[in-house]
Amino acid sequence: MAATVGRICGVGLLKPNNLTTIGQISSYSTAKEWTRGKKALLGTLGIVAGGAGAVLVALDQSVKASDLELHPPKNIWSHSGIFSSLDHASVRRGFEVYKQVCAACHSLRFVAYRNLVGVTHTEAEAKAEAEEQMIEDGPNDEGNMFKRPGKLSDYFPSPYPNEEAARAANNGSYPPDLSYITAARHGAEDYIFALLTGYCDPPAGVVLREGQYYNPYFPGGAISMAQALYNETIEYNDGTPASASQLAKDVSTFLKWTAEPEHDDRKKMLIKVLGIFSFLLGITWYIKKVKFASLKSRKIEFRPKK
Amino acid sequence: MGFSSTVYNAIFKRTSTMALAVIVSAFAFERTFDLVTDSIFEKVNEGKLWKHIKDKYETEE
């Protein structure tokens, strides 16, 4: 590298030049021959253009109304702590809510029944859940698609065959797939909870079209999903009182799990990482001390020959 | 002969026994470390994991 640079620059690099040629960038200026008047004109033009731009930006910012949404409040979830796992009883209840309420419009395409095993359901229960659903399979010997009861390996069936069908059935709005919804929305599970429990009457001046509802947490406020969760909308199998906020909390926890199925393993791994790395840090500190002990305590003497 | 020289002569002197010692101690360390960290995790999340609630749903087969 050094040899290449030396060959390109020649001996010029080695000559002392007191920074006169390198340091003087003004020798490359093209404005040297300009008259005083031209310089003043161009300078004034630059200041005026810059000032006008700044005024326009300031005016634009002062009337920005695009951020008219309510940000969801941060809730203290049982999985909020750095070592805290998901509450699996809540995830299981959330699955009940999804199955009985959300699944009417929202798909959950990336979750399979086998994923429930050992998380919310036993293998026998997950098989029973799968068998309740008729899954389209095929083609058979005659080239026709057919329906069969679900198996553990099947993914959750979608309520609509495609997006166009979903839009046609929902007033033009597409109910998003919920598999990764907490990862895909600002505020994650806080947003889901706030959205599900935040329906209210539109404030004065807000006009909603037919089939729209008002929800301050939804960007824009006009949402095509009606309020779905009320007290006692469903009945929990484990006897938990099914208040609207309990339903919303459980389904938010469930959706947190579908978006981050590795959540618990990740937090368990954090404990292991902290353990191993504090051990390694101790060893590193000790070895540094050992190696530097002789370097720091040595003495170098120069003894000229007599 | 002290403890350290006994250990040295018995294990660390020969490559074969040294390698064996490394493998065995790595296995033992990994097992105990995993057990300890898993038990910490389960202690922190007592009652929340599937492990703690599954007996409610499992039927005898």
Side-chain angles (χ1 to χ4, degrees), chain A residues 62-278:
Chain A
S62 68
V63 295
K64 268 260 155 75
S66 65
D67 209 25
L68 235 170
E69 66 182 281
L70 200 52
H71 294 286
K74 294 253 177 300
N75 297 313
I76 303 160
W77 298 85
S78 77
H79 57 262
S80 290
I82 55 166
F83 297 139
S84 305
S85 73
L86 292 166
D87 184 353
H88 286 242
S90 181
V91 175
R92 187 186 165 102
R93 288 193 297 271
F95 168 73
E96 286 177 41
V97 179
Y98 168 76
K99 189 180 129 189
Q100 296 181 41
V101 183
C102 319
C105 299
H106 290 277
S107 58
L108 201 66
R109 282 185 294 149
F110 301 103
V111 182
Y113 286 99
R114 63 184 160 78
N115 297 133
L116 300 176
V117 178
V119 178
T120 57
H121 291 68
T122 63
E123 191 176 331
E125 284 175 319
K127 269 184 184 155
E129 289 289 345
E131 277 163 11
E132 281 178 22
Q133 305 290 337
M134 293 305 280
I135 308 282
E136 189 170 0
D137 199 354
N140 61 9
D141 296 345
E142 288 145 24
N144 300 320
M145 301 304 273
F146 60 93
K147 294 263 186 184
R148 58 158 175 79
K151 295 185 283 192
L152 272 187
S153 57
D154 284 316
Y155 286 83
F156 283 41
S158 301
Y160 305 106
N162 49 53
E163 186 182 332
E164 283 72 14
R167 283 190 190 280
N170 286 290
N171 212 6
S173 303
Y174 178 48
D177 184 85
L178 294 182
S179 310
Y180 296 105
I181 201 76
T182 64
R185 294 291 180 273
H186 287 293
E189 62 269 36
D190 287 324
Y191 168 76
I192 307 295
F193 180 83
L195 188 82
L196 289 172
T197 54
Y199 283 89
C200 60
D201 291 330
V206 173
V207 182
L208 296 175
R209 283 181 289 166
E210 207 194 323
Q212 288 193 323
Y213 306 88
Y214 187 74
N215 193 318
Y217 295 102
F218 190 71
I223 186 169
S224 291
M225 180 175 86
Q227 181 170 1
L229 300 179
Y230 299 92
N231 291 340
E232 314 290 325
T233 297
I234 68 163
E235 208 162 285
Y236 280 132
N237 283 334
D238 63 359
T240 307
S243 63
S245 59
Q246 178 74 41
L247 294 165
K249 175 238 168 190
D250 287 337
V251 81
S252 303
T253 313
F254 173 68
L255 293 175
K256 175 78 174 173
W257 170 73
T258 61
E260 293 170 36
E262 84 296 347
H263 180 276
D264 290 0
D265 285 334
R266 204 176 63 213
K267 290 189 168 171
K268 193 195 278 182
M269 189 56 77
L270 177 65
I271 300 177
K272 297 187 186 204
V273 165
L274 288 178
I276 288 281
F277 274 83
S278 50

Side-chain angles (χ1 to χ4, degrees), chain B:
Chain B
M1 206 160 69
F3 175 71
S4 56
S5 56
T6 316
V7 170
Y8 175 77
N9 284 326
I11 298 169
F12 297 134
K13 206 170 173 183
R14 278 179 301 279
T15 307
S16 56
T17 51
M18 169 81 179
L20 194 69
V22 167
I23 292 163
V24 169
S25 58
F27 183 78
F29 175 78
E30 182 92 40
R31 283 297 298 150
T32 43
F33 187 76
D34 278 357
L35 281 175
V36 169
T37 49
D38 286 359
S39 68
I40 292 171
F41 185 72
E42 275 155 28
K43 196 96 188 161
V44 170
N45 298 303
E46 189 68 55
K48 280 158 70 184
L49 299 171
W50 171 244
K51 193 181 167 175
H52 302 132
I53 58 166
K54 70 175 176 184
D55 55 316
K56 276 190 259 176
Y57 306 108
E58 267 170 349
T59 48
E60 291 87 57
E61 286 162 49

